[in-house]
Amino acid sequence: IKQDMSLLKRCIMSFGITDETFAIASLEKGELSFSYMMGLISCPYIGWAFGTTLGAIVCSMLPKALQNSMGIALYAMFIALVIPPAKKSKAALFVAVTAVGVSCIFAWFPLFKGISGGWSIIACTIIAAGLGAALFPREEDEV
């Protein structure tokens, strides 16, 4: 983001940062302006609010078995966010594969069975992102 952006604008922007908006913003070259970020954030925010309302109404009318199977859509969304950057960047591919590998270790190794799902996600994120940052540092001209 632009260096001269006020703290108030940064705080307003931070409200709308999500996995999806961060992924899109991180692909932009150069500095990001407040107006760009507000445009980027507002469209998904309006869509999520409308979609949540509509989804709650429609889902309440579906059979219970179908309601329970809708959870897979969240995984599909995250896969759709990861694949395009991973095709273009060795660093993104490395981080994604590392996160999956560490997650498998947490799921399948008895030593880690006592760790809750939330903590294992945090650990996977920190380990994969840390290794990615250490092995693939961004150059100054990429910023």
Side-chain angles (χ1 to χ4, degrees):
I1 56 177
K2 291 189 175 190
Q3 295 295 324
D4 62 345
M5 190 177 298
S6 71
L7 178 61
L8 177 62
K9 286 182 177 180
R10 290 173 189 254
C11 290
I12 292 168
M13 277 187 351
S14 70
F15 174 75
I17 298 293
T18 63
D19 300 343
E20 297 83 7
T21 56
F22 178 81
I24 292 170
S26 68
L27 296 175
E28 288 296 312
K29 300 288 184 203
E31 293 182 329
L32 303 175
S33 68
F34 181 72
S35 58
Y36 172 83
M37 289 302 294
M38 288 297 94
L40 176 61
I41 290 167
S42 63
C43 291
Y45 190 82
I46 292 167
W48 290 319
F50 178 73
T52 299
T53 304
L54 184 62
I57 293 167
V58 170
C59 240
S60 67
M61 295 182 238
L62 296 175
K64 203 62 153 170
L66 190 55
Q67 287 179 20
N68 294 337
S69 67
M70 294 301 281
I72 195 73
L74 182 62
Y75 297 109
M77 180 189 69
F78 281 114
I79 290 169
L81 288 172
V82 170
I83 297 299
K87 283 181 167 178
K88 297 178 185 174
S89 165
K90 287 182 184 179
L93 179 62
F94 173 83
V95 170
V97 170
T98 301
V100 169
V102 173
S103 180
C104 290
I105 290 170
F106 276 102
W108 296 332
F109 281 72
L111 177 66
F112 301 109
K113 286 283 185 185
I115 298 175
S116 73
W119 281 111
S120 66
I121 290 171
I122 291 170
C124 291
T125 303
I126 291 171
I127 292 167
L131 286 172
L135 297 174
F136 301 95
R138 288 183 79 171
E139 302 296 329
E140 282 300 316
D141 59 335
E142 291 182 54
V143 178

